[in-house]
Amino acid sequence: MARGVPEWHAFLRFRQDGRVSDDIEDVLHAVGPRLRALRRTRGLTLAEVAGTTGVSESTLSRLESGQRRASLELLLPLARAYRVPLDDLVGAPRTGDPRVHLAPIHRYGMTFVPLSRRPGGMQAYKMLIPGSDRPPEPVHQTHDGHEWLYVLHGNLRLVLGEHDLVLPAGEAAEFDTTLPHWLGSADGTAVELLILFGQHGERAHLRARATRD
């Protein structure tokens, strides 16, 4: 990781460069929680699932916690045991389904929902900053790019250079990310915001139509 780049910004840049496959990484990351939810919904223990599938308890535990990478060899017996299609385990959309399925990604204590899929150019995300009894102290970061954000819920604290701002729901900000900056909750409650991020300085262009008197 480049020095001075916050982990979550590095994550956005990594995805934007196309150096990881969005589909594969997002699907594999979501398999564990989905398996755990299915097992608990069925009221089964790890031992019971192990006895039905032949997959060891330790392997099942590591799969659910994300410490073991899912494979077809492991998922097939689990799909049979839970009596669900394999697609349900990996969260694949039904064939011919025109809807856009947004898979949340949990990183660095935050939740990101990617709203765009193509690599390169401007990337859109919905970002959730969880509430905390002890809001972290700002740590200024700088990196290449340009960012536009809009607060949907909560009060966002934006530290930008010498400015320390609080943005309530409905307010937006746009800034060059080469300026020292930090984002967090202003009051310890959860914050929900939309982010447009361009690594190479792309900016959001707003067009307004004049109204007649």
Side-chain angles (χ1 to χ4, degrees):
M1 182 180 302
R3 185 175 182 178
V5 179
E7 289 184 335
W8 69 272
H9 264 139
F11 164 71
L12 298 186
R13 295 175 63 189
F14 192 64
R15 289 177 61 91
Q16 183 186 55
D17 287 344
R19 286 175 286 178
V20 294
S21 167
D22 289 353
D23 292 334
I24 294 175
E25 291 300 323
D26 294 352
V27 164
L28 291 178
H29 187 75
V31 166
R34 191 172 287 111
L35 288 173
R36 182 184 292 114
L38 270 172
R39 178 174 59 79
R40 290 177 176 175
T41 299
R42 300 293 194 275
L44 299 173
T45 65
L46 287 173
E48 290 171 329
V49 176
T52 302
T53 62
V55 181
S56 70
E57 288 185 55
S58 61
T59 297
L60 291 172
S61 178
R62 291 169 60 199
L63 271 174
E64 291 186 0
S65 64
Q67 297 176 10
R68 173 70 181 266
R69 192 178 183 88
S71 67
L72 189 60
E73 182 181 4
L74 294 173
L75 293 180
L76 280 175
L78 288 171
R80 294 192 191 100
Y82 295 135
R83 297 182 180 180
V84 297
L86 186 61
D87 285 353
D88 285 0
L89 296 185
V90 297
R94 297 288 186 268
T95 302
D97 190 343
R99 294 172 297 174
V100 177
H101 295 261
L102 305 176
I105 303 162
H106 306 284
R107 295 287 190 277
Y108 320 119
M110 302 178 186
T111 300
F112 302 87
V113 180
L115 304 178
S116 55
R117 284 188 172 274
R118 67 180 183 85
M122 188 77 75
Q123 297 292 302
Y125 293 86
K126 183 176 181 181
M127 178 177 175
L128 304 174
I129 302 175
S132 174
D133 294 334
R134 277 184 147 186
E137 288 298 318
V139 178
H140 288 76
Q141 305 288 348
T142 61
H143 55 91
D144 294 335
H146 199 90
E147 188 165 310
W148 180 93
L149 58 85
Y150 178 84
V151 183
L152 295 169
H153 175 77
N155 295 301
L156 177 72
R157 183 182 179 188
L158 170 61
V159 181
L160 183 62
E162 299 179 352
H163 302 283
D164 195 335
L165 310 170
V166 175
L167 279 65
E171 288 201 7
E174 185 177 8
F175 55 92
D176 186 332
T177 53
T178 59
L179 292 173
H181 62 280
W182 178 86
L183 302 178
S185 173
D187 52 16
T189 60
V191 182
E192 183 177 346
L193 60 151
L194 293 176
I195 291 179
L196 295 179
F197 177 72
Q199 180 181 349
H200 304 293
E202 300 92 340
R203 301 183 62 176
H205 297 281
L206 304 179
R207 178 177 296 179
R209 178 178 296 177
T211 57
R212 294 182 178 178
D213 294 336

